[in-house]
C-alpha cells in the first residue's frame, strides 16, 4: 500500500500518470475517491497525486485537535516524501482552504493554484441552514440515510433525480469511506478557524477560482470574494451545478482545469 510515513503522519496516497505534478486536496470528511473524474482526465497530461487527509480514509487518525495549518504541513510532508519540490495545487472545499494556507506558508512549492467551491473565511456568508445541519454527525441517523442526505448538499436536485451510475458511485464511496465522527468533528473545528482574507493579497501564483453557481453549502459569493482578494485570479462559475460540480459537471470542470494548468 502506498503509505507515506512522514514522521508527523502516515498518509495514504496514490499517484497516476506522468508529467508536471498536480496535487489534489479533498474536502471535509471526504477521501481521495471523490476525485475520480479528475484523476481520469488530468492523468493523461500530468502526474496526479491524490491522498486522504488526516482523520479519514486510510490515512492516520490523530485523536488530538488540529488546524488547517497542520494539514498544510501534511501536504508539504507528503511532497517531501514523493520528492516533489513544487506542484500545481488543486483544493476543493476544505481542501481549498488548506490550499490557501499552503500557498501562503509554502509559496515556493506552488506552481499554479486552483481553489474550488471554497472560501477565504468560513463566516463570510453562512450556508443554507438546512445544508449545514447535514454536515455534522446526527444520533440515530443510519449510514445509508446520512449518505443520501449528503447528496442534497453536494448536487443540484436535477442531478440527484436522474440517478444512474454517478449517484450509485457516489453512494458507494460515501458508504464505504464515511468519516469517523471524531475525525469529522476535528476537521470541522479546524475549518471554523479559517480566515485568510487579510493575507490573500500576498498570493502571487496564477490562480483559478472555480465553483458551481448553485452551490448551497459554500455560496458562490465566497468565490467572488476569493477572486477579488487574490491578485489576478481567474473566476469560473459553472451554471446549474452545486458544491460537487467536479462530479456532476465533470466535463466542463475538467476542461477549465486542463486549460488553466496547460496555459
Amino acid at each position: 500500500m502506498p503509505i507515506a510515513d512522514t514522521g508527523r503522519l502516515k498518509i495514504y496516497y496514490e499517484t497516476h500518470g506522468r508529467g508536471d505534478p498536480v496535487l489534489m486536496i479533498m474536502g471535509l470528511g471526504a477521501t481521495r475517491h471523490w476525485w475520480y473524474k479528475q484523476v481520469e482526465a488530468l492523468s493523461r497530461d500530468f502526474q496526479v497525486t491524490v491522498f486522504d487527509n488526516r482523520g479519514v480514509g486510510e490515512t492516520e487518525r490523530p485523536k488530538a485537535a488540529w488546524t488547517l495549518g497542520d494539514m498544510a504541513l501534511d501536504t508539504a510532508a507528503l511532497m517531501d516524501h514523493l520528492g516533489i519540490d513544487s506542484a500545481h495545487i488543486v483544493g476543493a472545499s476544505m481542501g481549498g482552504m488548506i490550499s490557501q494556507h499552503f500557498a501562503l506558508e509554502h509559496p515556493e512549492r506552488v506552481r499554479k493554484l486552483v481553489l474550488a467551491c471554497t472560501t477565504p473565511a468560513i463566516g463570510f456568508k453562512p450556508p443554507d441552514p438546512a445544508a449545514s445541519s447535514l454536515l455534522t454527525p446526527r444520533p440515530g441517523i443510519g449510514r445509508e440515510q446520512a449518505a443520501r442526505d449528503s447528496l442534497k448538499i453536494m448536487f443540484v436536485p436535477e442531478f440527484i433525480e436522474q440517478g444512474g451510475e454517478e449517484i450509485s458511485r457516489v453512494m458507494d464511496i460515501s458508504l464505504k469511506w464515511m468519516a469517523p465522527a471524531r475525525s469529522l468533528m476535528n476537521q470541522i473545528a479546524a475549518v471554523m478557524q479559517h480566515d485568510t482574507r487579510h493575507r490573500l493579497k500576498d498570493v502571487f501564483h496564477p490562480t483559478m477560482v472555480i465553483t458551481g453557481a448553485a452551490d448551497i453549502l459554500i455560496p458562490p459569493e465566497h468565490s467572488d470574494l476569493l477572486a477579488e482578494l487574490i491578485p489576478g485570479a481567474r473566476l469560473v462559475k459553472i451554471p446549474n451545478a452545486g458544491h460537487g460540480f467536479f462530479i456532476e459537471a465533470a466535463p466542463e470542470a475538467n476542461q477549465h482545469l486542463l486549460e488553466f494548468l496547460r496555459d
Side-chain angles (χ1 to χ4, degrees):
M1 287 176 33
I3 296 285
D5 189 347
T6 68
R8 57 182 284 110
L9 190 75
K10 293 179 180 177
I11 303 172
Y12 185 96
Y13 70 94
E14 294 176 357
T15 298
H16 304 264
R18 294 182 179 180
D20 287 345
V22 177
L23 203 72
M24 310 194 76
I25 310 176
M26 191 29 82
L28 183 73
T31 59
R32 65 194 186 275
H33 306 87
W34 287 82
W35 287 123
Y36 68 92
K37 288 286 192 180
Q38 285 63 55
V39 167
E40 179 183 346
L42 270 62
S43 61
R44 300 181 188 123
D45 297 308
F46 298 94
Q47 175 188 293
V48 178
T49 298
V50 294
F51 65 100
D52 294 335
N53 288 314
R54 60 168 58 203
V56 301
E58 296 176 86
T59 287
E60 195 174 352
R61 302 173 182 177
K63 293 182 179 179
W66 60 76
T67 67
L68 294 181
D70 291 326
M71 300 180 87
L73 283 171
D74 295 341
T75 303
L78 176 59
M79 289 174 67
D80 289 342
H81 176 85
L82 296 173
I84 298 173
D85 292 328
S86 65
H88 303 305
I89 304 296
V90 180
S93 197
M94 181 188 72
M97 302 176 210
I98 297 167
S99 298
Q100 293 168 56
H101 287 269
F102 187 79
L104 289 163
E105 294 155 19
H106 309 275
E108 74 287 353
R109 309 202 70 169
V110 179
R111 300 187 185 186
K112 291 183 179 180
L113 184 63
V114 178
L115 303 176
C117 53
T118 191
T119 179
I122 199 66
F124 165 61
K125 180 180 173 61
D128 181 296
S132 57
S133 70
L134 299 177
L135 284 176
T136 55
R138 291 165 293 147
I141 299 296
R143 289 172 62 87
E144 183 161 354
Q145 184 60 52
R148 291 204 174 278
D149 286 345
S150 71
L151 298 176
K152 301 173 187 176
I153 60 177
M154 289 297 294
F155 307 118
V156 296
E158 295 86 347
F159 184 75
I160 299 171
E161 289 163 8
Q162 287 170 6
E165 180 182 342
E166 299 302 344
I167 291 297
S168 296
R169 184 161 185 176
V170 167
M171 282 292 294
D172 288 345
I173 292 170
S174 295
L175 287 168
K176 185 174 181 179
W177 300 105
M178 193 168 289
R182 181 199 292 269
S183 295
L184 186 61
M185 296 310 295
N186 278 342
Q187 288 191 356
I188 289 172
V191 163
M192 295 306 294
Q193 303 302 314
H194 173 66
D195 190 343
T196 56
R197 284 176 288 189
H198 64 294
R199 303 175 63 195
L200 290 177
K201 65 183 186 300
D202 297 326
V203 174
F204 58 83
H205 316 86
T207 301
M208 180 170 70
V209 178
I210 182 168
T211 193
D215 191 338
I216 62 171
L217 184 59
I218 300 182
E221 290 86 347
H222 290 255
S223 291
D224 293 337
L225 183 59
L226 270 174
E228 177 185 327
L229 293 174
I230 297 174
R234 179 188 305 182
L235 176 62
V236 176
K237 294 182 182 178
I238 298 182
N240 196 36
H243 196 65
F245 73 89
F246 45 89
I247 292 176
E248 65 184 341
E252 186 174 353
N254 291 340
Q255 180 180 350
H256 285 294
L257 279 169
L258 286 166
E259 288 177 355
F260 177 69
L261 295 176
R262 286 170 177 160
D263 185 8

